[in-house]
Amino acid sequence: MFTTLAALPEQPSYDVIVAGSGAAGLAAAVFAAIEGRSVLVIERTEQVGGTSALSAATTWIPNSLHAEKVATGDSLEKAARFLDGVVGNHSSARLREAFLRAGPQAIATLEQRTGVHFRPYATHPDYESDVEGSTLRGRALEPIPFDGRRLGADLHRIRPPIPEFTLFGGMMIDRTDIGHLLKLRTSWVSFKHAAAILGRYGLDRLSGRRGTRLVMGNALIGSLLLTLKQHGGTVLLNA
């Protein structure tokens, strides 16, 4: 899957070439790959993920299939009013409309045809909550935890998380984990959850350089990378 300039064929040919291996770049590559296209992702560093791997990876898609789990009453028109208020004339209105109409189907395609999966939160307000059309929940999605062991030796190709998102020198945690860790002395469910992630991290560090339970940005990049790998995509590093 990973290659170098020296290892490329003399005159390589690909249906789609993507510049950058952040969430946007890998998503573009994945959508092409699952449609049977040959794909090359070009990354200038030695690791994939860019700033997406370092982020919380909140994915803002109104009216996705997950929205109804936590919210009712949202609509394309309401989301459009919100974007109009937040973005204004800094982007094309037609582009924003295309995003709002295609976004739900993009999430559905990822859920149905790839290993990329998301979840909503009971309360996750739009960041600009004072703008008309904002909501308290349903639009912001988070990638579910991903088992990095599925990537094998390619796990180390993902840019590690920032220290602020980890405990004990590298154990990745998301806000669900934080809730359980805070309640581990008062809740049996939280104690079991905390014990499981702590025990797994300990075992991971006995045999490797990092934890294999990926969350947030690392989870999104990991699941996109695995899907691309499964569909024969190529990633060119240090280019």
Side-chain angles (χ1 to χ4, degrees):
M1 176 182 195
F2 289 94
T3 190
T4 63
L5 280 171
L8 280 179
E10 190 65 28
Q11 290 184 317
S13 176
Y14 298 90
D15 296 323
V16 177
I17 297 176
V18 177
S21 67
L26 287 182
V30 162
F31 278 108
I34 63 176
E35 293 300 331
R37 305 295 191 267
S38 60
V39 179
L40 174 69
V41 176
I42 302 176
E43 167 56 45
R44 71 181 180 88
T45 72
E46 62 184 10
Q47 292 178 310
V48 300
T51 56
S52 298
L54 309 180
S55 74
T58 298
T59 303
W60 195 84
I61 304 289
N63 301 299
S64 74
L65 57 87
H66 294 296
E68 62 185 22
K69 301 173 184 176
V70 295
T72 58
D74 200 6
S75 66
L76 186 149
E77 292 74 23
K78 188 175 180 180
R81 289 199 302 273
F82 175 75
L83 283 185
D84 288 345
V86 172
V87 180
N89 61 3
H90 293 288
S91 77
S92 161
R94 291 182 63 188
L95 182 63
R96 296 199 298 273
E97 181 182 0
F99 163 74
L100 291 173
R101 292 189 180 280
Q105 183 56 51
I107 294 297
T109 299
L110 289 173
E111 294 281 358
Q112 294 164 7
R113 301 182 60 186
T114 78
V116 184
H117 301 292
F118 298 91
R119 62 188 178 191
Y121 268 85
T123 301
H124 191 309
D126 293 327
Y127 293 143
E128 301 290 341
S129 56
D130 58 338
V131 175
E132 181 185 0
S134 66
T135 65
L136 290 175
R137 57 186 63 85
R139 294 174 178 173
L141 307 176
E142 179 183 81
I144 65 171
F146 175 77
D147 187 353
R149 293 173 295 190
R150 300 176 66 190
L151 286 167
D154 291 332
L155 172 60
H156 76 281
R157 300 288 190 179
I158 299 178
R159 191 174 303 283
I162 58 176
E164 290 82 358
F165 286 168
T166 67
L167 291 175
F168 310 119
M171 186 181 83
M172 286 169 278
I173 55 172
D174 58 24
R175 52 187 154 176
T176 297
D177 300 328
I178 292 172
H180 285 300
L181 289 167
L182 291 173
K183 297 188 296 183
L184 66 87
R185 294 184 178 181
T186 59
S187 167
W188 176 241
V189 171
S190 292
F191 176 82
K192 289 193 295 182
H193 181 95
I197 62 174
L198 288 166
R200 174 168 173 176
Y201 178 65
L203 291 173
D204 286 339
R205 291 306 301 270
L206 288 174
S207 58
R209 293 180 296 173
R210 60 176 299 179
T212 61
R213 179 180 179 269
L214 311 187
V215 300
M216 297 192 290
N218 261 227
L220 179 58
I221 295 301
S223 56
L224 286 167
L225 187 62
L226 178 62
T227 301
L228 185 62
K229 181 177 182 178
Q230 292 170 336
H231 286 81
T234 301
V235 180
L236 175 61
L237 298 174
N238 296 308

